[in-house]
Each structure stands twice: as structure tokens, then as C-alpha cells.
Amino acid sequence: GKENADAAAEIETILNQNNLEHISVHRESGVFQAGDSLSSMTLVVAENGTLDGYFALKDIDSGNMLDVPDSGALVPRRFHEYYRIDVGGTVPAYDSGINLCKLPVAGVFENYYGQLFFLSPQGYEESFKVAPEPNCFYVKTGGIPLSELQKKLEGVQGLTRVADAATERVMIGQFTSSLNF
């Protein structure tokens, strides 16, 4: 709505004033069905070519970088291996509005942790019959400490969270190393 658009515009202005490279995406939690069970996933909806430098989406067979497909979703290797859903198959999936679709698998990228599914805005709308609205920024902070960026953004009405990818990677690393142990 208008409040979200106002918040996004204010955030983008601050990011531009500080010369911070960023992209705007739609990100939401969803659920997919595999057999008799439901599991969580995170949908990341971005325009083709915008995720370079933010995510390394390497094809599991060729090792080539994948772009977000016009139709369907890119799914992680672990999902593909565990649930045995190949490219061309479909996944019963629910978005955060509990809209059900048969989400086509358009590609598999190299990843063993997490359930990130990548879609284009066209692919999302084709699958869920709803147009996605950007609600998240991915930002390369460069030399600016995250705490400084948080201070610059703290007055923005509608901003819910600032997360640090490096911290999340460390937490994932600690979690997986304990599993390996």
C-alpha cells in the first residue's frame, strides 16, 4: 500500500544519499507440500540480472551462473535431492496469503542449507495469481558499519528489520559445524 511505498521511497533515498549499492526485491515466507508433510520456504522475487553480487546461483550440473527464470522457480540442491523434484516438475506451494499453486521447478542451484526459492515477478504472478510488491532491500554496505546504517534508517516508519548477512553466515556455519561434529 501507500505506507509501504512511502517507506520504500524513504529507504531508497537514504541508500542513494550514502552511495550504497542495493536492489529491491519481494521476499516472503511460504510453505510447500512434500508428501504428507509441509515445510517452510522463503520466496525471493527479483528481476532478471539484479541478484548478481548478492547470491551465487550456480547450476548444479554445469556450474554456470543461473538467472532468475521468467517462469517457475530456482530451487536449492538440497531440496531437489531430498524431495526428488527435478527441473520440469512442480511443487505444491502456498504463499504467505495461503494461495496454493503448482510451482514449476525451472532450475536447481548449488546450495545445501535453507529453502530459498528464486522467482521473477512474472513467474511469481503466473504461479500465485498475485502481483508481488517489493518489500525488502539487499544492500552492500561497503565501508559503512551496519550500526551506522541502522542509525540512518531508524526513523523510517514501516521499517521492520535490518539484518546482517555476515552474521547470518556465521550462525549457519556454527550450526552446520556442530552437525558435522
Side-chain angles (χ1 to χ4, degrees), residues 84-154:
R84 294 187 170 100
I85 299 174
D86 295 322
V87 172
T90 59
V91 181
Y94 299 87
D95 66 5
S96 61
I98 314 300
N99 297 304
L100 172 65
C101 79
K102 295 282 188 188
L103 186 60
V105 174
V108 181
F109 65 95
E110 196 68 59
N111 185 29
Y112 289 93
Y113 181 81
Q115 298 285 17
L116 287 175
F117 288 45
F118 292 90
L119 298 93
S120 68
Q122 312 89 283
Y124 181 93
E125 187 167 0
E126 182 181 283
S127 294
F128 292 105
K129 310 302 183 216
V130 173
E133 290 187 24
N135 62 0
C136 176
F137 287 96
Y138 289 121
V139 180
K140 294 182 181 179
T141 58
I144 295 178
L146 185 63
S147 58
E148 185 178 326
L149 178 58
Q150 283 178 305
K151 284 182 185 174
K152 292 174 187 281
L153 294 170
E154 67 187 12

Side-chain angles (χ1 to χ4, degrees), residues 32-39 79 82-83 85 91-92:
F32 66 87
Q33 186 171 352
D36 294 334
S37 64
L38 297 173
S39 293
F79 168 86
Y82 188 79
Y83 297 106
I85 299 174
V91 181

Side-chain angles (χ1 to χ4, degrees), residues 24-39:
S24 177
V25 303
H26 175 84
R27 183 180 168 118
E28 71 176 276
S29 296
V31 174
F32 66 87
Q33 186 171 352
D36 294 334
S37 64
L38 297 173
S39 293

